[in-house]
């Protein structure tokens, strides 16, 4: 049905059966084996010569392929047999069909009590079989919770609202059906995290919820599990029957989850597929990108009980008549503060106004790690008056699982400092490097590849297929450095990201919280290094507070910057952080502060300290480093100082600071000659 023919990038016809997949969607969760096709630069691919073309290509971090002819060098790190290709296939199946077959597998399974309603092809209420994009193997690979997982127990929790449902202590208390419970177990979840303990019973009781919890603490399952349970328990009655009007079949999801980014939508969709595995629930996804439109619409025909979407594409599809929101009983805004800020708010209002049941007739939940007061005020337009407010830890605080390092690095010295860090990184670790602009992402990824450090980029100027491919290559470790703009700041859960580097710091400390939250997830430890210079003075004070809250050491110069700099200065300006309380109870600022000692990771430094970390400089290099643009290793180290002494601050984590200060006294202090000791150095005034 969907294997008629395929187009390469230039629309040339290809025959099936040449190692080309029949879908533009990843069937394996693995780019190399799924729907990404070559076509390259106008050559007609054939099975015999196709990979020859690819062998001479490497990603240049700009979403384009660089051939050896173009660049004059073949990166030796690039594995020749790599099936990493461009273009995409189109599924030319007519999605306006009026048939009833869903064309997808049903994961029928007897014995869990939920599968005997499997969709049998008739157009009833769309109570269909489970999503077929994923297999058990790629759904249930586990992220190991880290050594600090149990310390979540000690995080202070504040819940407010009337008659708040009691928290659960174990998943078994939630009353999940056997299939859902089995999926929880298969996911390796033995104990709920605090945000899950409170959010699950609240949503099961159909109470609206505003839930704020640290990055990587399990918010996704906190909203997906109760929704899945509700729909399962309600059975077909919960689902509004598709309508057929003007030649279009309109599907009515029972639950809608909105995400600010496409990649996060994909991730949530995968989680939803995991938790509804072997149930009759259908999950569907709608997100932007030209090449995937038809495929997404086609997939709706399997049913869409839970729809995960980015706002723009959803509005488009609603306007096309493929989706209606009249049956939507659950609305979730993930990364809710982002969804309600200036960029997205009009779209959210539009979506909610498109025939969705009134807030009194639906359950609405909002989740984020940060929740500024003004966004809380906006949010109440979408929530019932008696919504429950949950704060796990101080709202917007960073995790103690993340060791935050701030380095004063002038603009001109950033590349060099980045190289030094990357060269000493463990080869199994993934490193996520944030930059401010799309162009900056391209350029930095290109530069790193020229230095033979395998990196890819992700940003809004790439085609969607390139974004997904690059992210997958990063996730798989093939390209262990991802240079990203803010598009990767929120929600992405990538195991093994051990280091986040803010090459360019954001202008807003909430953004900082989300970015560094890509590491140190689920009780694991991580490092966040940020390059700070004059341009970043605006968030100096907020950063200082965040580091203090996480019980970490603030560099002396940051104290000075914070004391001298402007107050706040983030995008939203001013002293906007409201503390940890429900705004309805007034500004209780910092009511959790004292408690954080109880969630002191204690053993963190063990993972990162200890001489070997950054010491030894360039001896044992991690990645092949021949004479790229940077020349020999020694020139790197000697160029990393301006003749100054120092390094940074006190050697709290011995490995790092001592190691760097061994390098000609310069360490990361690379602004070309500050006075010898940090104590005497005065931060430049704004
Ligand atoms: N109870 C649990 N036991 C073990 N692992 C869990 C549990 N809950 C969630 N996880 C895992 O923790 C990781 C982080 O979860 P998740 O992505 O939901 O975090 P989050 O709070 O939404 O983060 P962010 O704020 O960055 O969006 C995931 O890999 C998830 O599978």
């Amino acid at each position: 049905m969907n294997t008629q023919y395929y187009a390469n990038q230039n629309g040339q016809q290809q025959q099936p059966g040449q190692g080309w997949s029949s879908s533009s969607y990843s069937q394996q969760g693995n780019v190399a084996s799924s729907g990404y096709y070559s076509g390259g630069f106008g050559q007609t691919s054939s099975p015999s010569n196709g990979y020859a073309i690819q062998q001479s290509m490497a990603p240049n971090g700009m979403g384009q392929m660089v051939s050896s002819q173009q660049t004059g060098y073949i990166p030796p790190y690039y594995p020749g047999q790599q099936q990493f290709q461009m273009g995409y296939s189109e599924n030319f199946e007519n999605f306006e069909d009026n048939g009833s077959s869903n064309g997808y597998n049903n994961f029928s399974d007897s014995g869990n009590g939920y599968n005997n309603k499997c969709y049998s092809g008739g157009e009833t209420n769309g109570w269909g079989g489970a999503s077929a994009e994923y297999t058990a193997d790629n759904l249930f690979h586990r992220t190991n919770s880290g050594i600090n997982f149990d310390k979540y127990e000690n995080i202070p929790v504040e819940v407010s609202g009337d008659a708040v449902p009691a928290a659960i202590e174990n998943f078994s208390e939630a009353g999940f059906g056997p299939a859902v419970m089995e999926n929880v177990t298969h996911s390796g979840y033995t104990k709920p995290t605090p945000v899950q303990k409170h959010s699950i019973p609240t949503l099961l009781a159909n109470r609206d919820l505003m839930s704020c919890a640290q990055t990587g603490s399990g918010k996704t399952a906190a909203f997906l599990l109760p929704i899945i349970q509700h729909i399962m328990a309600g059975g077909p009655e919960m689902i509004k029957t598709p309508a057929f009007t003007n030649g279009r079949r309109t599907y009515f999801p029972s639950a809608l989850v909105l995400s600010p980014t496409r990649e996060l939508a994909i991730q949530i969709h995968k989680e939803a597929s995991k938790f509804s595995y072997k149930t009759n629930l259908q999950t569907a996804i709608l997100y932007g990108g030209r090449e995937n439109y038809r495929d997404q619409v086609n997939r709706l025909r399997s049913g869409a009980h839970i729809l995960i979407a980015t706002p723009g594409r959803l509005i488009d599809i609603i306007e096309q008549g493929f989706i209606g929101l009249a049956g939507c009983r659950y609305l979730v805004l993930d990364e809710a503060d982002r969804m309600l800020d200036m960029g997205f708010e009009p779209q959210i209002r539009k979506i909610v106004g498109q025939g969705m049941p009134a807030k009194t007739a639906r359950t609405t939940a909002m989740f984020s790690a940060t929740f500024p007061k003004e966004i809380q005020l906006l949010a109440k337009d979408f929530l019932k008056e008696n919504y429950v407010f949950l704060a796990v830890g101080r709202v917007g605080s960073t995790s103690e699982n993340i060791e935050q390092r701030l380095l004063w690095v002038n603009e001109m010295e950033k590349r060099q400092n980045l190289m030094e860090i990357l060269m000493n990184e463990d080869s199994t670790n993934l490193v996520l490097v944030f930059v401010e602009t799309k162009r900056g992402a391209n350029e930095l990824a290109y530069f790193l590849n020229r230095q033979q450090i395998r990196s890819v980029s992700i940003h809004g100027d790439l085609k969607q297929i390139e974004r997904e491919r690059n992210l997958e290559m990063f996730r798989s470790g093939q390209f262990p450095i991802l240079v990203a703009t803010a598009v990767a700041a929120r929600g992405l859960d990538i195991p093994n990201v051990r280091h986040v580097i803010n090459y360019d710091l954001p202008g807003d400390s909430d953004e900082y919280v989300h970015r560094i939250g890509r590491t140190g997830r689920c009780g694991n430890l991580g490092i966040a290094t940020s390059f700070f210079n004059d341009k970043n003075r605006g968030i100096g004070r907020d950063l200082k507070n965040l580091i203090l809250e996480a019980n970490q050491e603030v560099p002396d110069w940051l104290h000075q910057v914070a004391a001298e700099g402007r107050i706040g200065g983030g995008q939203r300006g001013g002293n906007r952080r409201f503390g940890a309380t429900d705004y309805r109870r007034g500004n209780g600022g910092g009511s959790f502060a004292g408690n954080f000692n109880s969630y002191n990771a204690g053993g963190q430094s063990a993972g990162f300290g200890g001489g070997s970390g950054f010491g030894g400089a360039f001896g044992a290099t991690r990645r092949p480093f021949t004479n790229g643009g940077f020349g020999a290793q020694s020139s790197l180290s000697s160029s990393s100082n301006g003749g100054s002494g120092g390094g940074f601050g006190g050697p709290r984590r011995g490995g790092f600071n001592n190691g760097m200060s061994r390098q000609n006294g310069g360490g990361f202090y690379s602004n070309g000659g500050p006075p010898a000791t940090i104590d005497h150095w005065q931060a430049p005034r704004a």
Side-chain angles (χ1 to χ4, degrees), residues 143 145 149 171 188-193 196 214-221 267 271 274 335 369 491 493 517-518 521-522:
T143 307
S145 45
F149 186 81
F171 285 115
Y189 292 14
T190 50
K191 203 163 48 171
T193 62
Q196 292 163 356
Q214 286 174 333
T215 51
S217 64
K219 293 187 284 294
T220 317
Q267 183 179 296
E271 291 292 286
K274 178 172 87 175
E335 308 296 341
D493 183 57
R518 297 317 99 214
R521 298 174 71 75
C522 197

Side-chain angles (χ1 to χ4, degrees), residues 391-412:
V392 182
R394 186 184 185 280
V395 173
S397 75
T398 50
S399 165
E400 291 193 7
N401 293 332
I402 306 166
E403 180 187 333
Q404 298 175 65
R405 298 171 175 172
L406 273 182
L407 307 173
W408 188 282
V409 181
N410 286 334
E411 291 298 315
M412 298 299 288

Side-chain angles (χ1 to χ4, degrees), residues 614-636:
F614 280 80
F618 305 104
T621 53
R622 161 190 197 220
R623 299 186 174 84
F625 186 84
T626 53
N627 262 337
F630 257 95
Q633 295 157 4
S634 58
S635 72
L636 255 181

